[in-house]
Amino acid sequence: MSQPNIAVIFYSTYGTNHAVAMAAADAARAAGAEVRLRRVRETAPKDIVEGQDAWKAQLKKMHDIPEASVDDMEWADGYFFSSPTRFGVVASQMRAFIDTLGGLWANGKLADKCLTATTSAQNPHGGQEATLLSLYTTAMHWGSIIVAPGYTDQSIYDAGGNPYGFSAIAGGFDDAGRKAVAHQAKRLVEMTARITG
């Protein structure tokens, strides 16, 4: 199998999805992929971000990670997305990035690429499954190939049993979650390698 290019694209307000994305990037590299770790640009007003110490600190913590671009999406053979849920869908910052991809979509450059996703919310019933399903709906419009973890490894059960993709309680990314994310990232790499041949 060939070495696939994997873009790990994330948005994180307070750090949970940043930690998930870093774990996914590490696992994808360990599985043999070339990886680009990219953060989605912050679109919230500066005064809102700076009015919350934890939000401001997280943004500073990620300053050395390049912002996701259209070029990253074209380069990649597969995508690992991570975003908090906002009212049952991905955060608006992630949606704003996705909405810049119309040109790639129109030219078929998002088709036949593998995609998997993770999310977080404040509580276990805060919209995690709906968030992942809504992101997968976008992937279907692109013609991408969804690589959900399903129940393909014990780590999925141990981390709460979400077959659509790992989902965390905000601030609660633990060892069980790391194992589930590592499995999901490895599965993405393996499936992407099969597609790219």
Side-chain angles (χ1 to χ4, degrees), residues 61-145:
K61 187 176 181 181
M62 302 180 300
H63 80 279
D64 61 334
I65 299 172
E67 290 183 353
S69 71
V70 170
D71 289 342
D72 296 317
M73 295 294 289
E74 186 169 2
W75 167 85
D77 302 308
Y79 310 117
F80 190 111
F81 279 88
S82 189
S83 172
T85 181
R86 295 288 187 266
F87 308 109
V89 294
V90 295
S92 63
Q93 291 86 344
M94 181 65 80
R95 259 328 315 170
F97 171 69
I98 287 169
D99 288 347
T100 69
L101 302 176
L104 287 184
W105 166 79
N107 289 303
K109 294 187 176 180
L110 299 172
D112 303 326
K113 296 188 179 193
C114 293
L115 184 147
T116 198
T118 61
T119 191
S120 66
Q122 187 175 1
N123 57 66
H125 301 289
Q128 290 101 321
E129 291 181 0
T131 297
L132 294 174
L133 290 171
S134 71
L135 189 52
Y136 291 156
T137 298
T138 296
M140 285 185 265
H141 281 252
W142 292 347
S144 296
I145 300 161

Side-chain angles (χ1 to χ4, degrees), residues 1-6 31-33 77-78 112-114 147 185-197:
M1 287 189 282
S2 63
Q3 179 188 47
N5 294 333
I6 300 294
D77 302 308
D112 303 326
K113 296 188 179 193
C114 293
V147 182
K186 180 182 177 191
R187 182 170 162 79
L188 174 67
V189 172
E190 290 172 349
M191 294 299 114
T192 304
R194 288 187 191 182
I195 297 296
T196 59

Side-chain angles (χ1 to χ4, degrees), residues 151-170:
Y151 294 112
T152 56
D153 190 78
Q154 182 60 41
S155 64
I156 306 303
Y157 294 95
D158 295 343
N162 189 336
Y164 307 110
F166 173 72
S167 56
I169 303 299

